[in-house]
Amino acid sequence: MGKKATVQYRELKTDGPLKGMELKDMLVDVLRRRGEHHAFGENARLRIIDLDQDGSYVILNKVSPPDTWDGSVLCGQLIHLQAGTDIQAVLQSLEEDTDEFLLQNVDVGPRTRVLKGALYFAVNKNHVGLIEGQSVKSLLLERYLTALFQNAGELEPGDQVILNGRFSAAGTKGLTEMSDITMSAKPNFFSAQDASVVADDERHAGGARDEGHTVFDVLKLMGWSEDAITRLEQEIPSGGRIEGLFKVFIKSKRNTIKIPKVAVNEALRNFDPEDIGLQGDGREKGGLVKLSVTRNVKTNGSLLDPEDAMLQIVEALKEWASSGKIDCRFEA
């Protein structure tokens, strides 16, 4: 058995405090350090980090065997375990004849932590290939690596690991710089029930992301008061929603300053390209894509097989390298 998974490309941003840093070597160095009676790479308990201080845990759970660490690639599995021991489930057989299935709170015990999601990655120098989970995105990997390196004394507080995306225009040369960027925001609905009945194939920026990307969130950042937002919210009719399309540009006096494409690769690394428009000497919209490829990955039940997921990521990196899309080399 297997299922389709998207392998995405990221690259460590190496200016500022990370100048000269090589992500793969730094990870190997930290994994070889000793904490208590074990090296970090030998004991997953030492790699547990409570990023949100809420009792949930992010863990670099699985890494490549130590005898491969001096090779060109390091692979890993990042998991997020949610806090609490109560889950909601149906315990009856779905083959049972019943007027309704009973949804129950199930205490799985104090020693059990429920998996919120998993992410798989492979690193070659500063090149990263990854398969995101439903609830574990590349942003969580950035935060985990930042905390790991800060705890190891390799990064100062305030410094952070940023994994840039790489955008290109399908079939065309594409823009190298732009005058402005337009972005959609996740709509705010009249009610949560209205949001739940939106067709699955209706696309919105942030539709698969966590809170913090809605129209009202953006308006707050722009300085709108709570009263003004409340009045605007009251204008949404029953069954309706408010959508926003925001334009970003840089001005110096009366002149518009060009924005380099490299800035887009960082700032928009977690956006869906379908929700971005770039305006410059030409325009990119719809044909804008992230460097990614769909692979078939073996499964263990409903979970991706870790070994095969990592293998597919490495194969994707090799394909991009051989086609000249990334300057990534794999020694024998």
Side-chain angles (χ1 to χ4, degrees), residues 79-311:
I79 63 173
H80 191 182
L81 302 180
Q82 61 189 37
T85 59
D86 287 339
I87 61 173
Q88 290 71 47
V90 172
L91 301 183
Q92 300 157 262
S93 168
L94 298 184
E95 300 299 322
E96 178 182 325
D97 294 320
T98 178
D99 59 342
E100 69 173 290
F101 292 102
L102 181 62
L103 186 61
Q104 302 181 57
N105 285 307
V106 180
D107 189 340
V108 295
R111 296 176 61 87
T112 302
R113 292 293 182 270
V114 178
L115 180 69
K116 187 173 182 180
L119 175 149
Y120 302 91
F121 67 91
V123 184
N124 174 298
K125 297 184 182 296
N126 287 324
H127 306 278
V128 182
L130 56 89
I131 296 176
E132 294 181 325
Q134 184 70 25
S135 302
V136 181
K137 306 299 182 182
S138 60
L139 182 60
L140 189 71
L141 178 61
E142 291 180 345
R143 294 178 59 210
Y144 180 87
L145 293 175
T146 297
L148 183 70
F149 293 153
Q150 287 179 346
N151 293 344
E154 297 298 333
L155 287 181
E156 297 294 332
D159 295 340
Q160 60 180 320
V161 172
I162 293 176
L163 301 176
N164 287 347
R166 180 169 292 187
F167 291 89
S168 63
T172 64
K173 180 180 179 182
L175 303 175
T176 58
E177 59 182 14
M178 60 234 47
S179 57
D180 59 70
I181 306 166
T182 55
M183 295 176 290
S184 307
K186 182 179 178 181
N188 285 96
F189 292 84
F190 173 78
S191 68
Q193 183 177 5
D194 293 329
S196 67
V197 299
V198 174
D200 291 337
D201 60 354
E202 189 172 352
R203 301 181 60 85
H204 296 287
R209 293 190 292 274
D210 294 333
E211 295 180 1
H213 300 271
T214 69
V215 174
F216 290 156
D217 292 325
V218 177
L219 291 177
K220 290 176 183 177
L221 290 174
M222 294 171 64
W224 280 47
S225 68
E226 291 289 348
D227 289 342
I229 291 175
T230 299
R231 288 194 296 271
L232 183 62
E233 184 176 12
Q234 292 171 347
E235 298 298 321
I236 305 175
S238 177
R241 64 177 180 264
I242 184 170
E243 298 187 6
L245 188 65
F246 300 92
K247 179 178 288 189
V248 179
F249 54 91
I250 301 174
K251 297 281 285 188
S252 176
K253 297 182 180 179
R254 295 185 178 181
N255 299 321
T256 299
I257 307 299
K258 295 291 186 180
I259 304 171
K261 188 69 164 281
V262 65
V264 173
N265 291 338
E266 176 187 346
L268 305 181
R269 63 192 185 278
N270 297 312
F271 271 75
D272 187 331
E274 289 293 328
D275 301 312
I276 305 168
L278 307 178
Q279 182 72 45
D281 295 333
R283 181 169 179 80
E284 289 185 11
K285 177 65 177 177
L288 189 68
V289 295
K290 279 183 179 177
L291 186 56
S292 63
V293 65
T294 300
R295 312 284 297 211
N296 193 62
V297 181
K298 296 176 184 177
T299 55
N300 293 326
S302 61
L303 298 174
L304 295 182
D305 177 78
E307 299 292 343
D308 195 49
M310 295 173 190
L311 174 63

